[in-house]
Amino acid sequence: MYRLRMWMSLLSTAVGLAVGCSGSTSADDRTGPPPTLADTSTPTPTLSIVATGLSSPWDIAPTPDSALLFTEKCRGLSVRRANGSISRLFGAAGSAVVASDFFCDGQSGMNGIALDPDFATNRTLYLFMPSTLSGATRTNRVVRLVVDAGYTTVSARTDIITDMAYKQGANGAGGSGAHSGGRLRFGPDGFLWVSTGDNHDATLPQDPVRLGGKVLRVDRDGAAAPGNAAPVGFDRRIYTYGHRNVQGITFRPGSGQAFVAEHGPNHSDEVTPLLNGGNGGWDPQLRPGLTCPDGYCGYAGNPMTMPMTDLARFPSAMRPAWTNNGSSQGMGPAVFLSGASWKGWNGRLAIGMMGGQRVELLELDALGATVRTTNMGFPPTRFRSLVLGPDARLWVVTDAGEIWRVTP
């Protein structure tokens, strides 16, 4: 492990907070100490590389007892213990528990991980993975496991969602296993949020009952969370629909509103604040004037002829908070920075780019619109996961096979 100073040059300065007054009050009228102003200076974080040589790592979950549970797409679930030792726990051959139904193909494999809100006492975690247990029609699943105190094995496997769409074979848009989504996060509401992709299937995002191109909100047993407001006739596990391939889910401090980061096709990566029951506006079905292999128009047009958020077809679709300058650079992970140690970056939204090889920092206004953006200045690489730990440190997973710890 080595430590290096990373912030070479910052592209923006912190924005001062406006302090308002109500009426005019003399010093003698004040009661109590003067207000403490937040530190709006730009932080100078440090970066440590804590693991290297991993095989296509995908997601990470720091635990309350200083371990790191992480996934590798074709290996499965592993742990880096507090002493630095690494063991494989669940998945492919070589794991403490081999899942004979697990496989990896294309973009799919052991993807997202989330810890139960009561992990410190129940040792429970959740994984997103493809499975052959449904027979010839493979599916994506959410699997619940319990890990032992020493992080040597897992037990009590329960498949809580078994019917998420999986791309069975290649078509004119790409190979099998594509566009599974795969991110898992627990929200401040205590429910599990799950992202799924469109599988290069033109009808899937707007389909009311198939769980592809959706964001799901479920309880810890996989049942629909109370209050999900998708339209009548929709699967009640669906929170929002009309998505292409969401791979980032995070929740704004204070309001708890969910934001997602989503791959665009050949244009328009998007960050979107979710509205319960909302439509993301992605509908890659046949369109006049476009040539669409196998009926999938997702790559056939431009922001005008094949928009990510199609307001012509769906005028009430959810509006994005930020679009990546009309381009697609593989937008994936997302996390809000939170904590006084982040100074002027406290409350900003960090978005990882794979093809774009950077982390973009979004400053949002009270309504969720983007005011300005800043490149965080990381060394360029493909960013796969961003997670804020219990101590406000930022954990970063890269496609280069590394795990970083960023201390504000």
Side-chain angles (χ1 to χ4, degrees):
M1 176 171 57
Y2 62 90
R3 195 171 184 88
L4 54 94
R5 202 72 174 174
M6 67 174 192
W7 267 232
M8 296 171 287
S9 64
L10 295 170
L11 302 183
S12 73
T13 58
V15 179
L17 296 179
V19 180
C21 297
S22 176
S24 59
T25 306
S26 69
D28 292 339
D29 292 330
R30 297 179 189 141
T31 58
T36 300
L37 299 181
D39 184 350
T40 61
S41 62
T42 299
T44 54
T46 55
L47 182 155
S48 301
I49 299 178
V50 302
T52 61
L54 305 180
S55 176
S56 299
W58 210 93
D59 205 1
I60 190 169
T63 72
D65 52 351
S66 300
L68 297 174
L69 290 161
F70 63 92
T71 60
E72 294 170 285
K73 186 176 70 172
C74 293
R75 287 179 175 173
L77 172 69
S78 294
V79 63
R80 180 189 184 275
R81 301 180 185 87
N83 65 8
S85 63
I86 292 178
S87 296
R88 292 174 58 194
L89 298 176
F90 175 79
S95 303
V97 174
V98 175
S100 59
D101 62 309
F102 166 69
F103 65 96
C104 68
D105 179 28
Q107 299 172 1
S108 298
M110 198 70 73
N111 293 150
I113 179 173
L115 300 186
D116 191 279
D118 298 318
F119 178 84
T121 55
N122 66 19
R123 311 292 294 176
T124 299
L125 60 94
Y126 302 77
L127 298 170
F128 186 109
M129 58 173 268
S131 170
T132 60
L133 287 180
S134 297
T137 302
R138 298 171 290 179
T139 63
N140 286 308
R141 295 182 170 226
V142 176
V143 174
R144 187 175 69 208
L145 298 169
V146 175
V147 63
D148 69 319
Y151 295 101
T152 63
T153 191
V154 296
S155 61
R157 171 177 172 174
T158 304
D159 293 23
I160 66 168
I161 304 178
T162 62
D163 55 342
M164 293 183 294
Y166 177 84
K167 187 179 180 185
Q168 307 296 324
N171 64 6
S176 60
H179 286 201
S180 284
R183 197 68 70 182
L184 301 179
R185 291 292 182 262
F186 271 95
D189 56 6
F191 293 110
L192 180 64
W193 299 61
V194 184
S195 76
T196 69
D198 73 2
N199 294 182
H200 290 150
D201 179 336
T203 64
L204 194 53
Q206 299 294 327
D207 190 294
V209 295
R210 291 187 294 157
L211 302 183
K214 312 295 193 297
V215 173
L216 314 180
R217 179 174 168 263
V218 300
D219 66 18
R220 292 181 238 190
D221 293 319
N228 287 355
V232 173
F234 275 63
D235 189 299
R236 301 322 302 165
R237 293 169 291 180
I238 294 171
Y239 187 81
T240 57
Y241 62 103
H243 294 289
R244 183 175 182 271
N245 195 28
V246 171
Q247 289 194 353
I249 306 175
T250 187
F251 305 90
R252 191 171 192 179
S255 70
Q257 184 175 22
F259 281 68
V260 296
E262 187 167 3
H263 293 291
N266 49 335
H267 60 80
S268 307
D269 293 333
E270 290 184 348
V271 173
T272 304
L274 298 187
L275 301 175
N276 194 356
N279 187 349
W282 176 247
D283 186 25
Q285 298 187 65
L286 290 173
R287 292 165 181 250
L290 297 183
T291 301
C292 306
D294 291 326
Y296 182 81
C297 293
Y299 301 106
N302 57 46
M304 299 301 295
T305 60
M306 184 58 245
M308 270 286 281
T309 301
D310 193 335
L311 296 176
R313 292 192 180 198
F314 312 107
S316 61
M318 299 177 292
R319 268 60 168 181
W322 185 64
T323 300
N324 184 25
N325 298 321
S327 65
S328 177
Q329 297 182 321
M331 182 188 291
V335 69
F336 277 97
L337 303 182
S338 182
S341 56
W342 286 102
K343 300 183 179 181
W345 289 355
N346 185 13
R348 296 198 187 182
L349 176 55
I351 302 293
M353 303 285 185
M354 283 170 277
Q357 298 198 5
R358 71 186 191 281
V359 175
E360 200 78 29
L361 202 60
L362 277 56
E363 181 181 352
L364 306 175
D365 65 16
L367 298 178
T370 300
V371 176
R372 60 179 56 84
T373 66
T374 303
N375 186 326
M376 286 188 74
F378 284 114
T381 191
R382 290 174 58 88
F383 292 92
R384 181 62 65 174
S385 183
L386 302 171
V387 176
L388 202 68
D391 55 1
R393 287 173 169 170
L394 177 65
W395 295 92
V396 180
V397 174
T398 75
D399 278 355
E402 296 180 339
I403 296 174
W404 300 352
R405 180 181 62 228
V406 180
T407 304

